Amino acid sequence: MSVFNNPAFDEHESVHYFTDQTTGLRAIIAVHNTRLGPGLGGCRMYPYASSEDALTDVLRLAKGMTYKAAMANLPLGGGKAVIIGDPKIQKTDAMMRAMGQRVQLLRGEYITAEDSGMSVHDLNLMAEQCDYVGGHFAHFNYLGEPADGNPAPATAYGVFVGLKEAVAYQLKKPLEQLHVAIQGMGHVGFRLAKLLSEAGTRLTVTDIDTELSQRAAKAFNATVVDVDDIYDVKADVFAPCALGAIINDSTIERLQCKVIAGAANNQLEEERHGRILKQKGIAYAPDYILNAGGIIDIHHQRIESSPEKLKQHLESIGNTVVQVLQRADTNNLPTNLVANAMAEERFQQCGASS
């Protein structure tokens, strides 16, 4: 199947395939839209079953970044990179340097950053070969504390703010009266659990890595369930913080929540699932609005800014969530379609005026 025939292709501006025989690098970079600015998006390393699966993922993720940047009011477009391979056994320093060289070839059309299977160390290696790496250094974090460049704290805080405002709008409940089921206890999910626990929220958690789940159980007095059982938990909020496409035909009828608000990218397997959620009375806070904290952080590290300005920008995520929920209710539309329309208004108007 060609790129143009892939169901996830949406008039992406460019798609690049890269290999390096010496290091075993096999990578794809997709740039979706640069009307608002260069395409920013993380680099993910994952053992995809096929190159077609990798292509589908990178196309979906790049498009999501365009919409995320637009809704976060950033002068950036959307791009993404994927490296095909198991990061636990195949990733090497030489491979990361080779990836940096490939990103450099795009001359700023795409700015890379951290994603699943990658670390700040990996980004530092890329940055030895490339001028277009974000998230590998930081002057500050949103609390004014020392920062290592990892945008996960800002991402988690943005999700927390968005979740809090979605609940206030939809359920009229304070956080201390909530029960939240979190799927995924990685860098962002664990930090979200910490913020919620500190606010008095009752937690149920799961992760494919049982050690991470048990860590959360001990730290936050959370209930742990098996990976597949998280969909059946009767909670106020379901917070997906792992991989995408988890709201689908096989899971959507099992959900017993009133709000979905989490950090995972592309939570809806298909856009039609947003309409089903609305029919079921479940308020879906679009993922690319909630999880924009990472790119907001990266942007503020690249300009003259401050912890106060970064935190203020992160907290604007809550206002955006409420705007989407209000417009969805007023027009009786699914929130994902409302958010998409709002984002398109922003980057299409920019393209028309340029």
Side-chain angles (χ1 to χ4, degrees), residues 291-312:
N291 64 20
I295 62 168
I296 291 173
D297 187 302
I298 291 169
H299 172 68
H300 280 265
Q301 303 300 338
R302 294 171 63 88
I303 64 173
E304 187 173 334
S305 187
S306 67
E308 295 76 21
K309 290 179 181 178
L310 170 58
K311 188 175 183 182
Q312 184 178 27

Side-chain angles (χ1 to χ4, degrees), residues 26-223:
R26 292 190 300 155
I28 309 174
I29 298 176
V31 177
H32 178 251
N33 187 296
T34 58
R35 289 181 180 177
L36 291 173
L40 171 65
C43 177
R44 170 175 296 185
M45 186 168 184
Y46 186 79
Y48 295 97
S50 67
S51 58
E52 196 64 38
D53 287 349
L55 174 62
T56 298
D57 200 31
V58 77
L59 291 174
R60 283 168 56 89
L61 292 166
K63 177 181 177 180
M65 291 303 298
T66 297
Y67 286 70
K68 181 185 298 190
M71 290 301 280
N73 292 308
L74 291 170
L76 295 165
K80 207 76 176 183
V82 297
I83 299 173
I84 301 172
D86 187 335
K88 293 182 178 180
I89 60 176
Q90 293 177 280
K91 184 169 61 176
T92 65
D93 287 359
M95 179 185 288
M96 295 301 99
R97 293 188 178 98
M99 186 63 187
Q101 292 169 359
R102 273 55 181 182
V103 174
Q104 182 71 14
L105 292 174
L106 301 186
R107 299 181 180 276
E109 177 188 0
Y110 165 67
I111 301 170
T112 197
E114 184 183 354
D115 203 335
S116 302
M118 304 294 286
S119 68
V120 173
H121 172 74
D122 299 324
L123 295 180
N124 283 330
L125 294 170
M126 289 188 198
E128 292 177 7
Q129 311 293 325
C130 181
D131 300 319
Y132 309 106
V133 180
H136 69 102
F137 70 92
H139 305 294
F140 52 81
N141 71 8
Y142 72 93
L143 294 174
E145 299 171 350
D148 64 0
N150 184 356
T155 303
Y157 185 65
V159 175
F160 172 75
V161 169
L163 184 156
K164 180 174 65 173
E165 293 302 322
V167 165
Y169 177 85
Q170 190 70 15
L171 302 181
K172 309 296 189 293
K173 277 187 176 183
L175 293 179
E176 60 267 23
Q177 294 179 13
L178 285 187
H179 178 197
V180 177
I182 306 179
Q183 181 187 49
M185 285 288 102
H187 293 301
V188 175
F190 188 86
R191 286 178 170 88
L192 174 62
K194 182 176 186 294
L195 290 167
L196 288 169
S197 178
E198 290 171 348
T201 303
R202 181 161 65 96
L203 301 175
T204 297
V205 303
T206 194
D207 196 284
I208 57 173
D209 186 335
T210 56
E211 290 185 7
L212 294 179
S213 296
Q214 291 303 321
R215 179 187 173 207
K218 292 178 182 178
F220 313 125
N221 194 30
T223 301

Side-chain angles (χ1 to χ4, degrees), residues 33-37 344-354:
N33 187 296
T34 58
R35 289 181 180 177
L36 291 173
E344 288 162 5
E345 288 170 7
R346 296 179 185 184
F347 63 74
Q348 287 178 357
Q349 285 176 0
C350 180
S353 61
S354 61

